[in-house]
Amino acid sequence: QFPFGRRLPCDIYWHGVSFHDNNIFSGQVNKFPGMMETVRKITLSRAMRTMQDLFPLEYNFYPRSWILPEELPLFVAEVRMMKDRNPSWKPTFIVKPDGGCQGDGIYLIKDPSDIRLTGSIQSRPAVVQEYICKPLLVDKLKFDIRLYVLLKSLEPLEIYIAKDGLSRFCTEPYQEPTLKNLHQVFMHLTNYSLNIHSGNFIHSASVNTGSKRTFSSILCRLSSRGADVKKLWSDIISLVIKTIIALTPELKVYYQSDIPAGKPGPTCFQILGFDILLMKNLKPILLEVNANPSMRIEHEQELSPGVFENVPSPVDEEVKVAVIRDTLRLVDPQKKKRKDTQCLLYPGVADGKLQLKPVKIQVKYGMKDKQHKHHSLKLSLKLKFYLKLGSCQSVEQAPEAGEELPEAALPSLCLKQVFPKYAKQFSYLRLVDRVAALFIRFLGVKGTTKLGPTGFRTFIRNCKLSNSNFSMAAVDILYIDITRRWNSMGIDHKESGMCLQAFVEAFFCLAQRKYKSLPLHDQVASLIELCECRLAALRGKRLLWG
């Protein structure tokens, strides 16, 4: 472990919070550049809204959202309009600060006028969403699901889902929101970090009981009631794939900025935490995506007033150790070199025997990580135990270098590949991915994330999108109007120019202008094909001239 970093090359770099080391030129890093920014509540909501505009039925698993403060007037107007249409509609909304975590700053409201319009709303923007009033209950308690998803590769896209997850329970019996119970966080908010402070929180040695249980135990219970568990899993897999598809365009822009093509650099992978709520009808709803899900496998127990002890958590250990263990198995850099065998540590095949060689893994902590160092050390010891053996032997009994390691000793993978396995079913959704590819192509300067006016004009000219009805002067006006509005939202003032979201909006405007009679997704698909075709023809001409 290297709290202050290290320059010697390693096979795997395990960073605590985010990708923050530009001096890595090889190996693999457990974080993607820009992931923290991409899954923030506002950025996620914008990405999901873009996909909802294109494919409303496919993306109806994400609650209707408004961004504060910029969309407050729109939020007020739309709620008023819906109430006028249906006077019996009595909605509840949940307000979530953009950079909040562990339930910090979340509150429920019944009316837009209840939003806390203090100075902090300007400095700390938020997302307001429709609150799911009819969740599935177990033992009369509301709960959510934390599923672990491995994004193993961005290009080509490769996604794995853990076969088990955590179910985190509220600690007070659920009632539908009223003005009297809106502030009862232990009834409405499932965050573990909040409910652990409740007197009703139950730490259990069993994975089937208590305030935190395995998701598989919930599935068994639902199955015994006759629920279609296979369909539920299918819906969850669909939700995860669609969400990753919505996030990849932004991630690719960050990736090419930090790790430009053609230059030496690491490959990336990342474990994400998906928080999912089940409705009464078993429809999964995405709550949020966490770039840094907790991997803690113990909890604090108060022995006496002010005196705490760290106690192992069987539920966390069962799920989390398997996720990290199998992530390391899947990203093993020597995996491709193996012949007819599989091993968790680096093998050398000689005389038909496996020779174990050490994996070099650098664990690096930033300042924010030091408070979690103790818990991470405990987890790393558990991983050493599982990685060497995959069985119940002690570390000291592990095979020495040169000894044979029986394949039967290795546990089966807990991570299931869902993409590209199901790529054919979801490839039609990757329209914004192709728009992002056009955006990146015309960025010009490597390392930038924003498109300048010259780059935008070159895009229009090369794709032959201007004509007598849409002059280059109109192109400049479109660029200025959209860029100015997005920059006024305070997205990113580090560099000037058009961000990806602004380019996507401009691209949609161009598609609607050119193909007026088609639905939006057909308009966008048609314009993408036109641009790709004309750019391919231009590339062919340049090759011929060369």
Side-chain angles (χ1 to χ4, degrees):
Q1 301 194 31
F2 300 90
F4 306 106
R6 124 181 204 184
R7 295 283 71 83
L8 294 178
C10 291
D11 301 297
I12 298 172
Y13 297 83
W14 197 276
H15 286 185
V17 176
S18 62
F19 182 94
H20 54 265
D21 194 336
N22 293 323
N23 295 310
I24 300 174
F25 302 107
S26 63
Q28 300 187 77
V29 184
N30 74 318
K31 303 290 181 189
F32 278 94
M35 181 65 83
M36 283 189 68
E37 293 81 2
T38 302
V39 300
R40 286 174 74 101
K41 295 176 180 65
I42 285 180
T43 315
L44 175 64
S45 294
R46 284 196 173 112
M48 299 304 282
R49 183 185 296 173
T50 298
M51 298 306 290
Q52 286 172 338
D53 289 342
L54 289 169
F55 307 101
L57 295 179
E58 287 88 338
Y59 280 84
N60 62 2
F61 57 83
Y62 192 70
R64 191 179 335 190
S65 307
W66 296 267
I67 294 161
L68 303 178
E70 66 203 54
E71 293 180 350
L72 180 58
L74 178 66
F75 172 52
V76 172
E78 288 189 358
V79 171
R80 184 183 297 121
M81 182 177 66
M82 288 185 282
K83 284 185 174 180
D84 289 343
R85 287 179 182 174
N86 183 8
S88 63
W89 183 57
K90 296 179 180 179
T92 302
F93 302 96
I94 184 167
V95 182
K96 304 176 182 179
D98 181 45
C101 61
Q102 299 181 337
D104 176 42
I106 296 177
Y107 61 97
L108 272 59
I109 59 173
K110 297 294 285 184
D111 189 83
S113 61
D114 298 329
I115 289 176
R116 298 167 190 172
L117 288 174
T118 61
S120 63
I121 198 70
Q122 298 292 336
S123 57
R124 196 183 185 192
V127 169
V128 57
Q129 296 177 322
E130 284 189 83
Y131 180 75
I132 308 301
C133 294
K134 297 186 183 296
L136 177 70
L137 304 181
V138 170
D139 299 331
K140 298 182 180 180
L141 299 171
K142 179 182 174 181
F143 69 97
D144 75 352
I145 305 156
R146 162 63 60 82
L147 278 184
Y148 295 94
V149 174
L150 170 64
L151 181 56
K152 184 174 178 286
S153 169
L154 202 55
E155 193 61 59
L157 186 59
E158 198 169 346
I159 308 168
Y160 291 79
I161 298 180
K163 295 177 182 177
D164 203 356
L166 301 173
S167 298
R168 304 170 302 183
F169 283 76
C170 288
T171 46
E172 290 183 11
Y174 180 78
Q175 298 174 10
E176 289 197 23
T178 64
L179 290 174
K180 290 183 179 180
N181 67 31
L182 275 185
H183 305 294
Q184 296 184 26
V185 293
F186 298 144
M187 177 189 293
H188 295 293
L189 303 185
T190 53
N191 304 73
Y192 167 80
S193 54
L194 292 176
N195 282 281
I196 196 171
H197 299 294
S198 167
N200 297 326
F201 192 93
I202 301 171
H203 290 290
S204 176
S206 167
V207 298
N208 304 314
T209 59
S211 298
K212 187 190 283 188
R213 314 176 195 180
T214 59
F215 180 45
S216 56
S217 71
I218 302 298
L219 290 176
C220 286
R221 192 159 174 175
L222 292 174
S223 181
S224 67
R225 296 178 183 174
D228 190 344
V229 172
K230 284 187 177 181
K231 183 182 183 303
L232 173 57
W233 255 120
S234 176
D235 291 344
I236 289 174
I237 289 170
S238 175
L239 177 152
V240 168
I241 294 174
K242 289 173 181 177
T243 302
I244 296 290
I245 285 175
L247 297 176
T248 51
E250 195 77 38
L251 282 175
K252 286 182 178 179
V253 173
Y254 279 108
Y255 197 91
Q256 64 80 36
S257 173
D258 281 67
I259 311 173
K263 288 190 176 182
T267 56
C268 300
F269 65 95
Q270 189 155 351
I271 298 171
L272 303 172
F274 273 65
D275 292 347
I276 296 169
L277 184 74
L278 296 182
M279 296 179 66
K280 262 187 180 179
N281 60 2
L282 296 187
K283 177 182 177 179
I285 299 293
L286 178 67
L287 299 179
E288 60 182 66
V289 180
N290 293 272
N292 296 299
S294 170
M295 287 296 166
R296 185 173 178 175
I297 57 171
E298 54 190 20
H299 62 84
E300 288 183 342
Q301 186 175 34
E302 192 169 12
L303 301 177
S304 58
V307 180
F308 294 88
E309 179 186 38
N310 289 311
V311 180
S313 169
V315 178
D316 289 296
E317 188 173 319
E318 179 166 325
V319 174
K320 295 176 182 178
V321 170
V323 168
I324 299 185
R325 177 198 68 211
D326 292 345
T327 295
L328 292 174
R329 291 171 71 178
L330 287 167
V331 303
D332 181 358
Q334 295 295 317
K335 194 173 182 182
K336 293 179 182 177
K337 298 180 182 179
R338 296 180 186 166
K339 296 179 181 179
D340 303 320
T341 188
Q342 188 175 18
C343 177
L344 290 178
L345 299 181
Y346 289 4
V349 181
D351 300 325
K353 291 185 177 181
L354 284 174
Q355 292 178 317
L356 301 183
K357 297 180 181 179
V359 184
K360 285 186 180 178
I361 304 179
Q362 172 184 320
V363 180
K364 182 175 179 182
Y365 295 93
M367 293 301 292
K368 293 181 180 178
D369 308 312
K370 291 185 178 178
Q371 58 184 323
H372 304 298
K373 184 175 180 180
H374 172 76
H375 310 299
S376 301
L377 281 169
K378 288 285 187 71
L379 180 55
S380 68
L381 290 175
K382 290 283 183 184
L383 287 169
K384 186 178 180 183
F385 169 81
Y386 283 106
L387 282 168
K388 278 206 168 188
L389 301 174
S391 68
C392 295
Q393 302 173 39
S394 67
V395 175
E396 287 73 16
Q397 295 171 319
E400 297 296 332
E403 288 187 24
E404 290 188 45
L405 183 68
E407 190 173 346
L410 304 177
S412 60
L413 282 170
C414 78
L415 294 169
K416 173 186 178 182
Q417 190 195 76
V418 296
F419 202 97
K421 183 177 180 180
Y422 302 121
K424 287 184 180 179
Q425 301 174 36
F426 298 95
S427 292
Y428 73 99
L429 298 173
R430 303 188 70 181
L431 290 182
V432 183
D433 233 21
R434 293 162 70 186
V435 175
L438 294 171
F439 176 79
I440 292 169
R441 176 172 179 156
F442 289 94
L443 279 177
V445 180
K446 287 185 177 180
T448 186
T449 60
K450 290 193 175 181
L451 185 67
T454 303
F456 188 71
R457 287 173 66 93
T458 305
F459 157 70
I460 296 291
R461 192 178 295 112
N462 287 2
C463 295
K464 300 179 181 177
L465 299 180
S466 61
N467 51 43
S468 57
N469 295 323
F470 187 57
S471 65
M472 292 306 291
V475 169
D476 291 338
I477 292 171
L478 177 69
Y479 175 89
I480 292 168
D481 287 348
I482 292 179
T483 302
R484 184 180 294 162
R485 183 158 45 78
W486 278 90
N487 288 343
S488 70
M489 297 176 191
I491 308 299
D492 182 9
H493 293 302
K494 293 179 183 177
E495 53 181 304
S496 60
M498 176 181 271
C499 62
L500 175 63
Q501 301 103 315
F503 181 79
V504 169
E505 182 183 328
F507 195 90
F508 283 18
C509 287
L510 294 169
Q512 289 168 319
R513 178 189 293 267
K514 193 165 187 67
Y515 304 100
K516 295 180 180 178
S517 61
L518 299 175
L520 179 61
H521 67 271
D522 288 334
Q523 292 173 332
V524 172
S526 299
L527 185 59
I528 290 171
E529 289 173 9
L530 177 68
C531 291
E532 290 174 343
C533 181
R534 287 179 174 173
L535 290 173
L538 181 62
R539 192 182 309 116
K541 284 183 181 179
R542 285 174 177 170
L543 286 172
L544 187 62
W545 294 336

